[in-house]
Amino acid sequence: MMTDTAFERLLGASPTAHAANGWSRERIMGDLRARGQDPAQAGECAAHLEMLGLPMRPMTAVIAAYLPEPMTDIDLDLSVRTKRALQARMKRSYYDAWRAVVGPALPELAAALYVQDHAVTRDSRPRAIQHGWVELAGRIVETTDIEGGKSTMLA
């Protein structure tokens, strides 16, 4: 049987904090992968949350809870190294981010997640655009032109 301490060691937060904005077994699996843990432990983690009486929330609440607001913590060093390893180019964010994770382009990206969503541009007229990027332990790894300051992510 799992303890609160074991749960926190696996997921980096207490069961109460982890479930505060909603949870699902799939979210737990993704969080375990992002932290380099075995996703097969998701069932035991979910059972622990249920035993504590922390109810699962609808998927929309889970997604909102999973994405920091706004998610702007870009790992510049890893982004530059990833872009160079991929020879990434503008207007290929989905493809380059996917290649960064599937390859993986660098060994440290083995536990990374591919993310496909909307980002906000940093130009004089900000707008939401469809974009792909990589997430590793709560940090963004951007594969677009991070060196030239043209990343689409709002910082």
Side-chain angles (χ1 to χ4, degrees):
M1 186 136 161
M2 180 169 285
T3 65
D4 287 354
T5 304
F7 185 97
E8 191 165 344
R9 183 180 39 80
L10 288 171
L11 291 162
S14 71
T16 305
H18 190 357
N21 294 313
W23 64 273
S24 71
R25 188 170 187 269
E26 291 77 21
R27 176 181 172 213
I28 292 171
M29 287 175 70
D31 290 344
L32 287 168
R33 277 191 201 100
R35 293 181 53 80
Q37 303 289 344
D38 181 6
Q41 296 175 324
E44 191 175 350
C45 293
H48 186 67
L49 292 174
E50 288 173 353
M51 183 206 62
L52 294 173
L54 299 168
M56 187 171 74
R57 299 259 180 100
M59 196 54 161
T60 53
V62 172
I63 291 170
Y66 185 67
L67 297 174
E69 296 184 24
M71 191 169 179
T72 60
D73 189 15
I74 299 175
D75 186 325
L76 294 176
D77 176 60
L78 187 55
S79 295
V80 169
R81 290 187 296 119
T82 301
K83 180 183 178 289
R84 288 178 182 165
L86 293 170
Q87 297 179 350
R89 295 187 301 226
M90 294 297 290
K91 302 203 184 262
R92 293 189 346 176
S93 67
Y94 293 147
Y95 177 67
D96 288 333
W98 176 81
R99 286 185 355 182
V101 172
V102 173
L106 299 170
E108 55 261 54
L109 296 177
L113 298 173
Y114 167 75
V115 180
Q116 193 173 344
D117 203 345
H118 288 83
V120 179
T121 61
R122 291 193 293 182
D123 54 17
S124 60
R125 290 183 23 190
R127 62 194 183 285
I129 61 168
Q130 293 179 341
H131 189 59
W133 65 91
V134 175
E135 181 185 331
L136 179 63
R139 295 170 298 154
I140 295 171
V141 179
E142 178 63 83
T143 59
T144 57
D145 190 9
I146 200 79
E147 293 172 280
K150 296 179 184 171
S151 169
T152 55
M153 301 302 290
L154 180 64

